[in-house]
Amino acid sequence: MTLTTILIVAAALIGIGLYGTLSQQSFVMLMMGLELMLNGVMLAAVGFWSLTAGGLPTGQLLTIVVMAVMAVEMAAGFALITAVYRNRQADVTEGLTTLKH
């Protein structure tokens, strides 16, 4: 694969994730859109490092760290979504008018 192909796929992932994040009302779909955007950024980063830096492992290591941070972020996000649903019975963003209890 060429760098151009990798960057086109990464841009498509970022675009689909941005559309999903901005157009959806469900908390879960928002999280999925964010995940797609972060995956597109990681794909672009790995593509740059592997095709321009001669395959040095520093870029791949950074991507693994970013993946671990993404997993923690998604776990915390889903925990917050579960807490909001248990307290307010709201599963869409418009179901919450205020953040006060």
Side-chain angles (χ1 to χ4, degrees):
M1 293 182 74
T2 64
L3 182 60
T4 306
T5 307
I6 292 172
L7 292 179
I8 288 172
V9 172
L13 281 174
I14 292 170
I16 292 169
L18 183 64
Y19 174 74
T21 301
L22 295 178
S23 67
Q24 299 297 322
Q25 295 177 354
S26 170
F27 290 125
V28 174
M29 294 302 287
L30 281 169
M31 299 290 284
M32 287 175 63
L34 290 172
E35 188 78 18
L36 274 175
M37 288 192 308
L38 289 172
N39 283 331
V41 170
M42 282 193 318
L43 179 64
V46 167
F48 272 124
W49 272 306
S50 68
L51 295 175
T52 59
L56 292 175
T58 56
Q60 296 168 358
L61 181 64
L62 179 64
T63 303
I64 291 172
V65 170
V66 170
M67 286 173 60
V69 170
M70 282 176 36
V72 170
E73 178 245 339
M74 286 295 140
F78 284 125
L80 288 171
I81 290 170
T82 304
V84 166
Y85 183 75
R86 284 182 181 168
N87 288 333
R88 305 259 181 108
Q89 300 298 316
D91 60 348
V92 293
T93 56
E94 293 173 353
L96 297 175
T97 54
T98 62
L99 291 177
K100 290 184 179 179
H101 201 338

